Amino acid sequence: MTFTVSADPPAERQFTRLLPALTDIAYGISLPPTLLLVWGFLSRFGWLPQQILPAPAVVWATIVELWRDGSLAEHTLQSLRRVAIGFTIGAMLGLVAGAALGLAPRIRAFVAPVFTALAQVNTLAWLPLLVLFVGIDEELKYVCIAWSTAIPVILATTRSITDVSPKLVELGRVLDFTPLQRVSAIVLPAALPSLFTGLREGLAAAWQNLVIVELFASFEGLGYLMTWGRQLFQLELVIAAMVVIAAIGLLLNATLQYLERLVQPWKTEDAYGR
């Protein structure tokens, strides 16, 4: 008696594995064109006043004009530079502080109540006080962005470390791991998903607060571009800046998600059944 084992062709099997990801992408890209069509339809028939929301064609023409004269690139690069510096400082401080709170229960018990209370205050509320200490120059932007980044990173890092199973930590002790080995071989891999969640939240907060601080005190950047458009009553300029801000924020988040998949290949394999 002979038995035959049927197997899917490699190409078909690969497509089956990628199908969930392709479906998610299709769902993700379907909504923006739909909203754009509705927006254009309402503008075309005059159901949406131009002084409230300009037509998509007007906004697109504004973006093209800003790109051609170089002002869009100039403002965008300035905003990205501020975010890069502020986010780097805030993420590093957040990871270190969060690790200290997560690994040292006594420090966590001493600091956590005050930090939790301070974290409830929005960055915008700190601006008047920060202006007195650092002025309104670039230092103000860096401090605000770093602070808004550090808060979610600290919270996520602390939570990710404290949520590591005690059984895994005890296993490290049984195997005579040094404290550094337990952190690097047990705690860090288990905490990585929450760590990247905190970094993504920190990056989103950094990008949002950048716009706030540029609206408050700046003469360049995408936030300033929005302020300039509002002062000139050119809503197409405001919306053009908003579109660029949203697109860059989406790209930054996607970049961090890609890096997360690179350092956690097992997570991607589990998600698609490889």
PDB file of all heavy atoms in Angstrom, residues 103-142:
ATOM      1  N   LEU A 103      13.511  47.663  37.169  1.00  0.00           N
ATOM      2  CA  LEU A 103      14.422  46.696  37.784  1.00  0.00           C
ATOM      3  C   LEU A 103      14.625  46.927  39.278  1.00  0.00           C
ATOM      4  O   LEU A 103      15.114  46.034  39.971  1.00  0.00           O
ATOM      5  CB  LEU A 103      15.784  46.738  37.081  1.00  0.00           C
ATOM      6  CG  LEU A 103      15.782  46.303  35.611  1.00  0.00           C
ATOM      7  CD1 LEU A 103      17.137  46.580  34.975  1.00  0.00           C
ATOM      8  CD2 LEU A 103      15.431  44.817  35.490  1.00  0.00           C
ATOM      9  N   ALA A 104      14.282  48.110  39.764  1.00  0.00           N
ATOM     10  CA  ALA A 104      14.507  48.437  41.177  1.00  0.00           C
ATOM     11  C   ALA A 104      13.178  48.775  41.843  1.00  0.00           C
ATOM     12  O   ALA A 104      12.707  49.914  41.730  1.00  0.00           O
ATOM     13  CB  ALA A 104      15.486  49.600  41.306  1.00  0.00           C
ATOM     14  N   PRO A 105      12.546  47.833  42.511  1.00  0.00           N
ATOM     15  CA  PRO A 105      11.235  48.094  43.121  1.00  0.00           C
ATOM     16  C   PRO A 105      11.244  49.237  44.126  1.00  0.00           C
ATOM     17  O   PRO A 105      10.267  49.987  44.231  1.00  0.00           O
ATOM     18  CB  PRO A 105      10.901  46.762  43.805  1.00  0.00           C
ATOM     19  CG  PRO A 105      11.711  45.733  43.071  1.00  0.00           C
ATOM     20  CD  PRO A 105      12.973  46.437  42.665  1.00  0.00           C
ATOM     21  N   ARG A 106      12.338  49.388  44.875  1.00  0.00           N
ATOM     22  CA  ARG A 106      12.380  50.460  45.879  1.00  0.00           C
ATOM     23  C   ARG A 106      12.402  51.838  45.214  1.00  0.00           C
ATOM     24  O   ARG A 106      11.716  52.764  45.646  1.00  0.00           O
ATOM     25  CB  ARG A 106      13.604  50.283  46.769  1.00  0.00           C
ATOM     26  CG  ARG A 106      13.513  49.051  47.682  1.00  0.00           C
ATOM     27  CD  ARG A 106      14.690  48.979  48.619  1.00  0.00           C
ATOM     28  NE  ARG A 106      14.583  47.824  49.500  1.00  0.00           N
ATOM     29  CZ  ARG A 106      15.495  47.492  50.420  1.00  0.00           C
ATOM     30  NH1 ARG A 106      16.578  48.264  50.579  1.00  0.00           N
ATOM     31  NH2 ARG A 106      15.320  46.432  51.183  1.00  0.00           N
ATOM     32  N   ILE A 107      13.184  51.949  44.141  1.00  0.00           N
ATOM     33  CA  ILE A 107      13.196  53.219  43.409  1.00  0.00           C
ATOM     34  C   ILE A 107      11.827  53.493  42.802  1.00  0.00           C
ATOM     35  O   ILE A 107      11.330  54.621  42.836  1.00  0.00           O
ATOM     36  CB  ILE A 107      14.277  53.193  42.308  1.00  0.00           C
ATOM     37  CG1 ILE A 107      15.672  53.060  42.939  1.00  0.00           C
ATOM     38  CG2 ILE A 107      14.203  54.443  41.449  1.00  0.00           C
ATOM     39  CD1 ILE A 107      16.788  52.975  41.918  1.00  0.00           C
ATOM     40  N   ARG A 108      11.192  52.453  42.274  1.00  0.00           N
ATOM     41  CA  ARG A 108       9.869  52.611  41.673  1.00  0.00           C
ATOM     42  C   ARG A 108       8.850  53.074  42.718  1.00  0.00           C
ATOM     43  O   ARG A 108       8.041  53.963  42.456  1.00  0.00           O
ATOM     44  CB  ARG A 108       9.426  51.293  41.038  1.00  0.00           C
ATOM     45  CG  ARG A 108       8.083  51.385  40.330  1.00  0.00           C
ATOM     46  CD  ARG A 108       7.815  50.160  39.473  1.00  0.00           C
ATOM     47  NE  ARG A 108       7.663  48.956  40.260  1.00  0.00           N
ATOM     48  CZ  ARG A 108       8.542  47.959  40.302  1.00  0.00           C
ATOM     49  NH1 ARG A 108       9.680  48.051  39.614  1.00  0.00           N
ATOM     50  NH2 ARG A 108       8.331  46.880  41.022  1.00  0.00           N
ATOM     51  N   ALA A 109       8.876  52.488  43.897  1.00  0.00           N
ATOM     52  CA  ALA A 109       7.937  52.880  44.951  1.00  0.00           C
ATOM     53  C   ALA A 109       8.167  54.314  45.404  1.00  0.00           C
ATOM     54  O   ALA A 109       7.215  55.020  45.772  1.00  0.00           O
ATOM     55  CB  ALA A 109       8.074  51.928  46.139  1.00  0.00           C
ATOM     56  N   PHE A 110       9.414  54.775  45.334  1.00  0.00           N
ATOM     57  CA  PHE A 110       9.751  56.119  45.784  1.00  0.00           C
ATOM     58  C   PHE A 110       9.390  57.183  44.743  1.00  0.00           C
ATOM     59  O   PHE A 110       8.895  58.260  45.082  1.00  0.00           O
ATOM     60  CB  PHE A 110      11.252  56.174  46.104  1.00  0.00           C
ATOM     61  CG  PHE A 110      11.720  57.512  46.602  1.00  0.00           C
ATOM     62  CD1 PHE A 110      11.365  57.967  47.859  1.00  0.00           C
ATOM     63  CD2 PHE A 110      12.506  58.330  45.802  1.00  0.00           C
ATOM     64  CE1 PHE A 110      11.787  59.203  48.326  1.00  0.00           C
ATOM     65  CE2 PHE A 110      12.936  59.572  46.253  1.00  0.00           C
ATOM     66  CZ  PHE A 110      12.568  60.004  47.516  1.00  0.00           C
ATOM     67  N   VAL A 111       9.608  56.866  43.476  1.00  0.00           N
ATOM     68  CA  VAL A 111       9.475  57.866  42.408  1.00  0.00           C
ATOM     69  C   VAL A 111       8.123  57.808  41.714  1.00  0.00           C
ATOM     70  O   VAL A 111       7.610  58.836  41.258  1.00  0.00           O
ATOM     71  CB  VAL A 111      10.615  57.680  41.384  1.00  0.00           C
ATOM     72  CG1 VAL A 111      10.454  58.636  40.215  1.00  0.00           C
ATOM     73  CG2 VAL A 111      11.960  57.877  42.049  1.00  0.00           C
ATOM     74  N   ALA A 112       7.537  56.623  41.601  1.00  0.00           N
ATOM     75  CA  ALA A 112       6.354  56.425  40.762  1.00  0.00           C
ATOM     76  C   ALA A 112       5.203  57.381  41.067  1.00  0.00           C
ATOM     77  O   ALA A 112       4.607  57.939  40.130  1.00  0.00           O
ATOM     78  CB  ALA A 112       5.883  54.975  40.857  1.00  0.00           C
ATOM     79  N   PRO A 113       4.815  57.628  42.330  1.00  0.00           N
ATOM     80  CA  PRO A 113       3.664  58.528  42.556  1.00  0.00           C
ATOM     81  C   PRO A 113       3.877  59.935  42.005  1.00  0.00           C
ATOM     82  O   PRO A 113       2.974  60.502  41.367  1.00  0.00           O
ATOM     83  CB  PRO A 113       3.544  58.535  44.090  1.00  0.00           C
ATOM     84  CG  PRO A 113       4.171  57.256  44.540  1.00  0.00           C
ATOM     85  CD  PRO A 113       5.302  57.020  43.583  1.00  0.00           C
ATOM     86  N   VAL A 114       5.074  60.505  42.248  1.00  0.00           N
ATOM     87  CA  VAL A 114       5.342  61.860  41.762  1.00  0.00           C
ATOM     88  C   VAL A 114       5.399  61.884  40.234  1.00  0.00           C
ATOM     89  O   VAL A 114       4.836  62.781  39.590  1.00  0.00           O
ATOM     90  CB  VAL A 114       6.654  62.392  42.353  1.00  0.00           C
ATOM     91  CG1 VAL A 114       6.998  63.758  41.757  1.00  0.00           C
ATOM     92  CG2 VAL A 114       6.552  62.490  43.869  1.00  0.00           C
ATOM     93  N   PHE A 115       6.068  60.894  39.644  1.00  0.00           N
ATOM     94  CA  PHE A 115       6.175  60.863  38.184  1.00  0.00           C
ATOM     95  C   PHE A 115       4.804  60.695  37.538  1.00  0.00           C
ATOM     96  O   PHE A 115       4.493  61.344  36.530  1.00  0.00           O
ATOM     97  CB  PHE A 115       7.097  59.731  37.743  1.00  0.00           C
ATOM     98  CG  PHE A 115       7.134  59.541  36.256  1.00  0.00           C
ATOM     99  CD1 PHE A 115       7.838  60.406  35.451  1.00  0.00           C
ATOM    100  CD2 PHE A 115       6.426  58.506  35.660  1.00  0.00           C
ATOM    101  CE1 PHE A 115       7.855  60.251  34.075  1.00  0.00           C
ATOM    102  CE2 PHE A 115       6.437  58.338  34.295  1.00  0.00           C
ATOM    103  CZ  PHE A 115       7.161  59.212  33.500  1.00  0.00           C
ATOM    104  N   THR A 116       3.970  59.829  38.110  1.00  0.00           N
ATOM    105  CA  THR A 116       2.630  59.624  37.568  1.00  0.00           C
ATOM    106  C   THR A 116       1.822  60.911  37.604  1.00  0.00           C
ATOM    107  O   THR A 116       1.080  61.236  36.660  1.00  0.00           O
ATOM    108  CB  THR A 116       1.900  58.530  38.356  1.00  0.00           C
ATOM    109  OG1 THR A 116       2.677  57.323  38.311  1.00  0.00           O
ATOM    110  CG2 THR A 116       0.528  58.258  37.759  1.00  0.00           C
ATOM    111  N   ALA A 117       1.970  61.673  38.679  1.00  0.00           N
ATOM    112  CA  ALA A 117       1.253  62.950  38.784  1.00  0.00           C
ATOM    113  C   ALA A 117       1.753  63.943  37.742  1.00  0.00           C
ATOM    114  O   ALA A 117       0.958  64.625  37.080  1.00  0.00           O
ATOM    115  CB  ALA A 117       1.418  63.520  40.191  1.00  0.00           C
ATOM    116  N   LEU A 118       3.081  64.025  37.567  1.00  0.00           N
ATOM    117  CA  LEU A 118       3.636  64.959  36.585  1.00  0.00           C
ATOM    118  C   LEU A 118       3.258  64.561  35.162  1.00  0.00           C
ATOM    119  O   LEU A 118       3.079  65.422  34.295  1.00  0.00           O
ATOM    120  CB  LEU A 118       5.162  65.012  36.721  1.00  0.00           C
ATOM    121  CG  LEU A 118       5.708  65.624  38.008  1.00  0.00           C
ATOM    122  CD1 LEU A 118       7.234  65.533  38.027  1.00  0.00           C
ATOM    123  CD2 LEU A 118       5.262  67.072  38.154  1.00  0.00           C
ATOM    124  N   ALA A 119       3.146  63.261  34.920  1.00  0.00           N
ATOM    125  CA  ALA A 119       2.826  62.788  33.574  1.00  0.00           C
ATOM    126  C   ALA A 119       1.414  63.160  33.148  1.00  0.00           C
ATOM    127  O   ALA A 119       1.107  63.144  31.952  1.00  0.00           O
ATOM    128  CB  ALA A 119       3.008  61.270  33.490  1.00  0.00           C
ATOM    129  N   GLN A 120       0.556  63.489  34.120  1.00  0.00           N
ATOM    130  CA  GLN A 120      -0.820  63.858  33.779  1.00  0.00           C
ATOM    131  C   GLN A 120      -0.923  65.267  33.212  1.00  0.00           C
ATOM    132  O   GLN A 120      -1.948  65.631  32.639  1.00  0.00           O
ATOM    133  CB  GLN A 120      -1.715  63.747  35.020  1.00  0.00           C
ATOM    134  CG  GLN A 120      -1.650  62.416  35.733  1.00  0.00           C
ATOM    135  CD  GLN A 120      -1.876  61.237  34.812  1.00  0.00           C
ATOM    136  OE1 GLN A 120      -2.836  61.218  34.038  1.00  0.00           O
ATOM    137  NE2 GLN A 120      -0.994  60.246  34.884  1.00  0.00           N
ATOM    138  N   VAL A 121       0.120  66.068  33.393  1.00  0.00           N
ATOM    139  CA  VAL A 121       0.106  67.447  32.922  1.00  0.00           C
ATOM    140  C   VAL A 121       0.594  67.487  31.477  1.00  0.00           C
ATOM    141  O   VAL A 121       1.709  67.042  31.183  1.00  0.00           O
ATOM    142  CB  VAL A 121       0.989  68.353  33.801  1.00  0.00           C
ATOM    143  CG1 VAL A 121       0.907  69.804  33.329  1.00  0.00           C
ATOM    144  CG2 VAL A 121       0.569  68.231  35.263  1.00  0.00           C
ATOM    145  N   ASN A 122      -0.236  67.995  30.589  1.00  0.00           N
ATOM    146  CA  ASN A 122       0.127  68.068  29.179  1.00  0.00           C
ATOM    147  C   ASN A 122       1.338  68.972  28.964  1.00  0.00           C
ATOM    148  O   ASN A 122       1.550  69.938  29.709  1.00  0.00           O
ATOM    149  CB  ASN A 122      -1.056  68.594  28.365  1.00  0.00           C
ATOM    150  CG  ASN A 122      -0.832  68.496  26.878  1.00  0.00           C
ATOM    151  OD1 ASN A 122      -0.245  69.379  26.266  1.00  0.00           O
ATOM    152  ND2 ASN A 122      -1.297  67.411  26.280  1.00  0.00           N
ATOM    153  N   THR A 123       2.122  68.644  27.945  1.00  0.00           N
ATOM    154  CA  THR A 123       3.330  69.420  27.652  1.00  0.00           C
ATOM    155  C   THR A 123       3.010  70.890  27.411  1.00  0.00           C
ATOM    156  O   THR A 123       3.793  71.783  27.762  1.00  0.00           O
ATOM    157  CB  THR A 123       4.037  68.847  26.415  1.00  0.00           C
ATOM    158  OG1 THR A 123       4.252  67.451  26.606  1.00  0.00           O
ATOM    159  CG2 THR A 123       5.367  69.528  26.189  1.00  0.00           C
ATOM    160  N   LEU A 124       1.851  71.152  26.812  1.00  0.00           N
ATOM    161  CA  LEU A 124       1.459  72.537  26.536  1.00  0.00           C
ATOM    162  C   LEU A 124       1.363  73.355  27.822  1.00  0.00           C
ATOM    163  O   LEU A 124       1.670  74.553  27.831  1.00  0.00           O
ATOM    164  CB  LEU A 124       0.116  72.557  25.794  1.00  0.00           C
ATOM    165  CG  LEU A 124      -0.404  73.915  25.322  1.00  0.00           C
ATOM    166  CD1 LEU A 124       0.582  74.542  24.340  1.00  0.00           C
ATOM    167  CD2 LEU A 124      -1.774  73.768  24.680  1.00  0.00           C
ATOM    168  N   ALA A 125       0.961  72.708  28.914  1.00  0.00           N
ATOM    169  CA  ALA A 125       0.834  73.431  30.177  1.00  0.00           C
ATOM    170  C   ALA A 125       2.189  73.813  30.759  1.00  0.00           C
ATOM    171  O   ALA A 125       2.279  74.745  31.574  1.00  0.00           O
ATOM    172  CB  ALA A 125       0.066  72.573  31.189  1.00  0.00           C
ATOM    173  N   TRP A 126       3.246  73.106  30.352  1.00  0.00           N
ATOM    174  CA  TRP A 126       4.583  73.417  30.859  1.00  0.00           C
ATOM    175  C   TRP A 126       5.249  74.563  30.092  1.00  0.00           C
ATOM    176  O   TRP A 126       6.261  75.099  30.551  1.00  0.00           O
ATOM    177  CB  TRP A 126       5.483  72.172  30.763  1.00  0.00           C
ATOM    178  CG  TRP A 126       5.104  71.063  31.681  1.00  0.00           C
ATOM    179  CD1 TRP A 126       4.415  69.935  31.361  1.00  0.00           C
ATOM    180  CD2 TRP A 126       5.410  70.954  33.075  1.00  0.00           C
ATOM    181  NE1 TRP A 126       4.249  69.122  32.449  1.00  0.00           N
ATOM    182  CE2 TRP A 126       4.864  69.727  33.527  1.00  0.00           C
ATOM    183  CE3 TRP A 126       6.079  71.770  33.994  1.00  0.00           C
ATOM    184  CZ2 TRP A 126       4.966  69.315  34.848  1.00  0.00           C
ATOM    185  CZ3 TRP A 126       6.186  71.349  35.304  1.00  0.00           C
ATOM    186  CH2 TRP A 126       5.634  70.143  35.722  1.00  0.00           C
ATOM    187  N   LEU A 127       4.707  74.929  28.947  1.00  0.00           N
ATOM    188  CA  LEU A 127       5.390  75.902  28.095  1.00  0.00           C
ATOM    189  C   LEU A 127       5.655  77.241  28.782  1.00  0.00           C
ATOM    190  O   LEU A 127       6.780  77.756  28.705  1.00  0.00           O
ATOM    191  CB  LEU A 127       4.586  76.112  26.803  1.00  0.00           C
ATOM    192  CG  LEU A 127       4.742  75.024  25.736  1.00  0.00           C
ATOM    193  CD1 LEU A 127       3.834  75.316  24.545  1.00  0.00           C
ATOM    194  CD2 LEU A 127       6.185  74.915  25.281  1.00  0.00           C
ATOM    195  N   PRO A 128       4.663  77.845  29.445  1.00  0.00           N
ATOM    196  CA  PRO A 128       4.965  79.145  30.084  1.00  0.00           C
ATOM    197  C   PRO A 128       6.105  79.058  31.094  1.00  0.00           C
ATOM    198  O   PRO A 128       6.932  79.974  31.189  1.00  0.00           O
ATOM    199  CB  PRO A 128       3.631  79.511  30.760  1.00  0.00           C
ATOM    200  CG  PRO A 128       2.600  78.766  29.987  1.00  0.00           C
ATOM    201  CD  PRO A 128       3.246  77.478  29.599  1.00  0.00           C
ATOM    202  N   LEU A 129       6.156  77.956  31.850  1.00  0.00           N
ATOM    203  CA  LEU A 129       7.225  77.799  32.841  1.00  0.00           C
ATOM    204  C   LEU A 129       8.567  77.531  32.169  1.00  0.00           C
ATOM    205  O   LEU A 129       9.602  78.069  32.576  1.00  0.00           O
ATOM    206  CB  LEU A 129       6.876  76.667  33.800  1.00  0.00           C
ATOM    207  CG  LEU A 129       7.818  76.444  34.988  1.00  0.00           C
ATOM    208  CD1 LEU A 129       7.840  77.683  35.858  1.00  0.00           C
ATOM    209  CD2 LEU A 129       7.385  75.225  35.788  1.00  0.00           C
ATOM    210  N   LEU A 130       8.539  76.709  31.111  1.00  0.00           N
ATOM    211  CA  LEU A 130       9.792  76.384  30.425  1.00  0.00           C
ATOM    212  C   LEU A 130      10.392  77.614  29.738  1.00  0.00           C
ATOM    213  O   LEU A 130      11.618  77.732  29.640  1.00  0.00           O
ATOM    214  CB  LEU A 130       9.540  75.274  29.398  1.00  0.00           C
ATOM    215  CG  LEU A 130       9.237  73.888  29.967  1.00  0.00           C
ATOM    216  CD1 LEU A 130       8.866  72.925  28.839  1.00  0.00           C
ATOM    217  CD2 LEU A 130      10.441  73.341  30.738  1.00  0.00           C
ATOM    218  N   VAL A 131       9.526  78.497  29.247  1.00  0.00           N
ATOM    219  CA  VAL A 131      10.025  79.704  28.588  1.00  0.00           C
ATOM    220  C   VAL A 131      10.873  80.528  29.552  1.00  0.00           C
ATOM    221  O   VAL A 131      11.881  81.134  29.162  1.00  0.00           O
ATOM    222  CB  VAL A 131       8.845  80.530  28.038  1.00  0.00           C
ATOM    223  CG1 VAL A 131       9.315  81.919  27.607  1.00  0.00           C
ATOM    224  CG2 VAL A 131       8.196  79.811  26.860  1.00  0.00           C
ATOM    225  N   LEU A 132      10.497  80.538  30.824  1.00  0.00           N
ATOM    226  CA  LEU A 132      11.253  81.301  31.823  1.00  0.00           C
ATOM    227  C   LEU A 132      12.651  80.733  32.044  1.00  0.00           C
ATOM    228  O   LEU A 132      13.581  81.473  32.365  1.00  0.00           O
ATOM    229  CB  LEU A 132      10.490  81.320  33.156  1.00  0.00           C
ATOM    230  CG  LEU A 132       9.127  82.004  33.138  1.00  0.00           C
ATOM    231  CD1 LEU A 132       8.463  81.890  34.497  1.00  0.00           C
ATOM    232  CD2 LEU A 132       9.246  83.463  32.725  1.00  0.00           C
ATOM    233  N   PHE A 133      12.804  79.407  31.860  1.00  0.00           N
ATOM    234  CA  PHE A 133      14.081  78.761  32.142  1.00  0.00           C
ATOM    235  C   PHE A 133      14.960  78.628  30.899  1.00  0.00           C
ATOM    236  O   PHE A 133      16.191  78.772  30.996  1.00  0.00           O
ATOM    237  CB  PHE A 133      13.844  77.369  32.742  1.00  0.00           C
ATOM    238  CG  PHE A 133      13.339  77.403  34.152  1.00  0.00           C
ATOM    239  CD1 PHE A 133      11.982  77.331  34.416  1.00  0.00           C
ATOM    240  CD2 PHE A 133      14.214  77.505  35.217  1.00  0.00           C
ATOM    241  CE1 PHE A 133      11.511  77.364  35.714  1.00  0.00           C
ATOM    242  CE2 PHE A 133      13.757  77.533  36.519  1.00  0.00           C
ATOM    243  CZ  PHE A 133      12.395  77.469  36.778  1.00  0.00           C
ATOM    244  N   VAL A 134      14.370  78.327  29.750  1.00  0.00           N
ATOM    245  CA  VAL A 134      15.184  78.047  28.555  1.00  0.00           C
ATOM    246  C   VAL A 134      14.943  79.038  27.422  1.00  0.00           C
ATOM    247  O   VAL A 134      15.580  78.935  26.374  1.00  0.00           O
ATOM    248  CB  VAL A 134      14.934  76.609  28.044  1.00  0.00           C
ATOM    249  CG1 VAL A 134      15.314  75.598  29.092  1.00  0.00           C
ATOM    250  CG2 VAL A 134      13.475  76.423  27.622  1.00  0.00           C
ATOM    251  N   GLY A 135      14.011  79.983  27.598  1.00  0.00           N
ATOM    252  CA  GLY A 135      13.741  80.933  26.532  1.00  0.00           C
ATOM    253  C   GLY A 135      12.841  80.346  25.465  1.00  0.00           C
ATOM    254  O   GLY A 135      12.218  79.298  25.650  1.00  0.00           O
ATOM    255  N   ILE A 136      12.791  81.023  24.314  1.00  0.00           N
ATOM    256  CA  ILE A 136      11.908  80.581  23.228  1.00  0.00           C
ATOM    257  C   ILE A 136      12.700  80.132  22.003  1.00  0.00           C
ATOM    258  O   ILE A 136      12.131  79.991  20.915  1.00  0.00           O
ATOM    259  CB  ILE A 136      10.920  81.694  22.825  1.00  0.00           C
ATOM    260  CG1 ILE A 136      11.682  82.932  22.330  1.00  0.00           C
ATOM    261  CG2 ILE A 136       9.998  82.046  23.977  1.00  0.00           C
ATOM    262  CD1 ILE A 136      10.775  84.006  21.761  1.00  0.00           C
ATOM    263  N   ASP A 137      13.994  79.904  22.165  1.00  0.00           N
ATOM    264  CA  ASP A 137      14.818  79.469  21.036  1.00  0.00           C
ATOM    265  C   ASP A 137      14.700  77.962  20.846  1.00  0.00           C
ATOM    266  O   ASP A 137      13.777  77.321  21.351  1.00  0.00           O
ATOM    267  CB  ASP A 137      16.268  79.898  21.264  1.00  0.00           C
ATOM    268  CG  ASP A 137      16.416  81.423  21.240  1.00  0.00           C
ATOM    269  OD1 ASP A 137      15.636  82.069  20.520  1.00  0.00           O
ATOM    270  OD2 ASP A 137      17.291  81.944  21.959  1.00  0.00           O
ATOM    271  N   GLU A 138      15.665  77.370  20.162  1.00  0.00           N
ATOM    272  CA  GLU A 138      15.612  75.953  19.829  1.00  0.00           C
ATOM    273  C   GLU A 138      15.592  75.059  21.067  1.00  0.00           C
ATOM    274  O   GLU A 138      15.026  73.972  21.045  1.00  0.00           O
ATOM    275  CB  GLU A 138      16.813  75.582  18.958  1.00  0.00           C
ATOM    276  CG  GLU A 138      16.759  76.156  17.558  1.00  0.00           C
ATOM    277  CD  GLU A 138      15.543  75.679  16.791  1.00  0.00           C
ATOM    278  OE1 GLU A 138      15.431  74.464  16.551  1.00  0.00           O
ATOM    279  OE2 GLU A 138      14.699  76.524  16.439  1.00  0.00           O
ATOM    280  N   GLU A 139      16.214  75.521  22.164  1.00  0.00           N
ATOM    281  CA  GLU A 139      16.249  74.697  23.372  1.00  0.00           C
ATOM    282  C   GLU A 139      14.844  74.374  23.865  1.00  0.00           C
ATOM    283  O   GLU A 139      14.584  73.280  24.381  1.00  0.00           O
ATOM    284  CB  GLU A 139      17.041  75.395  24.484  1.00  0.00           C
ATOM    285  CG  GLU A 139      18.527  75.515  24.233  1.00  0.00           C
ATOM    286  CD  GLU A 139      18.868  76.655  23.283  1.00  0.00           C
ATOM    287  OE1 GLU A 139      17.939  77.406  22.899  1.00  0.00           O
ATOM    288  OE2 GLU A 139      20.056  76.789  22.924  1.00  0.00           O
ATOM    289  N   LEU A 140      13.921  75.321  23.716  1.00  0.00           N
ATOM    290  CA  LEU A 140      12.545  75.084  24.141  1.00  0.00           C
ATOM    291  C   LEU A 140      11.920  73.940  23.348  1.00  0.00           C
ATOM    292  O   LEU A 140      11.237  73.078  23.925  1.00  0.00           O
ATOM    293  CB  LEU A 140      11.718  76.359  23.958  1.00  0.00           C
ATOM    294  CG  LEU A 140      10.223  76.244  24.284  1.00  0.00           C
ATOM    295  CD1 LEU A 140      10.017  75.964  25.767  1.00  0.00           C
ATOM    296  CD2 LEU A 140       9.482  77.516  23.874  1.00  0.00           C
ATOM    297  N   LYS A 141      12.175  73.911  22.050  1.00  0.00           N
ATOM    298  CA  LYS A 141      11.619  72.832  21.232  1.00  0.00           C
ATOM    299  C   LYS A 141      12.176  71.485  21.645  1.00  0.00           C
ATOM    300  O   LYS A 141      11.450  70.496  21.802  1.00  0.00           O
ATOM    301  CB  LYS A 141      11.927  73.055  19.742  1.00  0.00           C
ATOM    302  CG  LYS A 141      11.108  74.138  19.059  1.00  0.00           C
ATOM    303  CD  LYS A 141      11.625  75.516  19.308  1.00  0.00           C
ATOM    304  CE  LYS A 141      11.000  76.560  18.425  1.00  0.00           C
ATOM    305  NZ  LYS A 141      11.417  77.928  18.749  1.00  0.00           N
ATOM    306  N   TYR A 142      13.492  71.427  21.862  1.00  0.00           N
ATOM    307  CA  TYR A 142      14.121  70.165  22.221  1.00  0.00           C
ATOM    308  C   TYR A 142      13.615  69.647  23.567  1.00  0.00           C
ATOM    309  O   TYR A 142      13.348  68.449  23.722  1.00  0.00           O
ATOM    310  CB  TYR A 142      15.645  70.328  22.273  1.00  0.00           C
ATOM    311  CG  TYR A 142      16.262  70.762  20.971  1.00  0.00           C
ATOM    312  CD1 TYR A 142      17.401  71.553  20.940  1.00  0.00           C
ATOM    313  CD2 TYR A 142      15.709  70.383  19.751  1.00  0.00           C
ATOM    314  CE1 TYR A 142      17.973  71.951  19.739  1.00  0.00           C
ATOM    315  CE2 TYR A 142      16.270  70.777  18.549  1.00  0.00           C
ATOM    316  CZ  TYR A 142      17.402  71.564  18.555  1.00  0.00           C
ATOM    317  OH  TYR A 142      17.968  71.965  17.362  1.00  0.00           O
TER     318      TYR A 142
END
